[in-house]
Amino acid sequence: MRPSERGGGGRRPLDRTHLLRVLLAAVMAAACLGLPATTTNAAAAALAVAPAAATTAPIAAGEAAAACAALKPGASATAVDAVEVACRYVGWSYAWGGGHAQGLPGPSQGMIDLSDPRSYGDPKLWSFDCIGLVRWAWYKATRQDIVSERTTQSTWQNPGYAHTKFTKEQGEAPLLPGDILYFGTGITHVALYLGDGKVVEAPNSGDVVRVADARWDRYQGAFRPHTAGVFPVWEYDGLGQHVKTWGQPNLRENSTTGSAVNWQNGNGISVAVRALCQRVGERVTVDGMVNNVWTYLPDYRSWVSNLFLQGPAITPGVPSCGQFAAIGGTLDGADSNTSCGDGTEPNSTGAWTAKSTTVWGRTVELRYNGTTACAWGRIIGGTVGDEIWVDRSSDGGETWEPMLGYTTVTSGGDAYTTQWNDNGLVMRACGTNGKGGTIACTGWY
């Protein structure tokens, strides 16, 4: 896990139960109620509820979003941009509370709505609820968080931005694409208008972001934000990959802690951010972990230390910023970090044996270093040919990445694997008494 950047070294990583309690205690957006899933959408949702579904969806949506567009002339260029942004998320799983990391718009980890059993899987999703989707669409279109960190009801009662209001009695006629429509007697749902009676919406848990017919029997009114200028909605369009944040990172103007803070994640809820490239910047130390790699986030025009991104010290698959002349910088010197990256050599300083077992007289150990949050396997008292590796799991051992750092005893009786960052996950070590021998694994830690 990655801790907070705040003073005093930040907080220690949370275990899964503690994290869930924190999420449940946060004051987040109201659920989007009263819009039952269709059979088609329910089937689509079933395909999209895997833990990585939202974060591995393509940045440029495909055929699923083809029917999602501004369907009526007359809207401002900025409003059309807002529609385009929302349409790119058609097919993403709804996540209750998603889009509400305090101070930081964007697809974030969902929460459990205790009144809705359909939401029990939402903490495995990084996406949006109804107001979260609207917030992100209008942020991307204006580069201003005009909807901000509030509930559907509060944005109806006090929008907080310059706007034109349309009443229920005025009906559909004056509405244009990008208008923010509110539904329900108690204001329980919000969506973006497309035209021709259609909206793009994040409906409820178990469903997906979709185009739907507006429920005019439940319609209460709408707001049209006042904006000026045309903004670049998708800089570096189609480039970058989504990675998840940890802790309470500051997103900064440059790759140093002395540069201005552009955005702050105040409540520590994990956000799926689009990583364009990474480069070496200031060496940052938090809770004993050290990293000098920073990542550029084009959706925020900001930098974040990789200490606050889930994954190894250098994010796999994200190129060096040297490929982008306007950004610049390389990864030269990134290998000087003292915290571990996947596959690096083990450092025994401060390490201890977290779990152990035996196999035919050999001792198999999971070694762990609490300073660097790295683990590796060791086999002791064996013979040439004995095997040792580590497994890593994101769900307590139900599924796992097998045989990381696999190695064998080549001389003497002991061998180590390379070290692996636990990233807030659980790990175990496994060994054998020779190739094809008995496999023995430690417990998960």
Side-chain angles (χ1 to χ4, degrees), residues 286-438:
V286 177
D287 277 6
M289 291 184 287
V290 181
N291 203 341
N292 63 355
V293 180
W294 292 66
T295 292
Y296 184 70
L297 310 178
D299 293 331
Y300 306 96
R301 290 182 174 177
S302 298
W303 294 88
V304 65
S305 166
N306 279 23
L307 281 177
F308 303 101
L309 299 180
Q310 296 184 35
I314 304 174
T315 305
V318 176
S320 168
C321 290
Q323 297 187 19
F324 303 94
I327 299 172
T330 72
L331 286 170
D332 292 344
D335 55 358
S336 66
N337 290 313
T338 59
S339 57
C340 79
D342 284 352
T344 58
E345 291 301 312
N347 178 354
S348 60
T349 302
W352 56 288
T353 299
K355 295 285 184 178
S356 66
T357 189
T358 59
V359 54
W360 292 96
R362 289 87 162 153
T363 299
V364 175
E365 296 180 327
L366 179 72
R367 300 283 292 172
Y368 186 76
N369 188 317
T371 299
T372 60
C374 302
W376 59 91
R378 176 170 71 177
I379 190 166
I380 302 173
T383 60
V384 172
D386 289 352
E387 301 168 300
I388 182 71
W389 66 89
V390 292
D391 298 333
R392 182 166 58 185
S393 173
S394 63
D395 51 18
E398 294 181 24
T399 60
W400 61 85
E401 299 174 77
M403 302 190 77
L404 303 175
Y406 170 85
T407 191
T408 61
V409 177
T410 56
S411 63
D414 302 347
Y416 285 88
T417 71
T418 49
Q419 62 185 358
W420 296 81
N421 196 316
D422 74 348
N423 304 322
L425 312 179
V426 296
M427 301 188 71
R428 68 180 180 181
C430 299
T432 72
N433 58 316
K435 191 171 184 64
T438 301

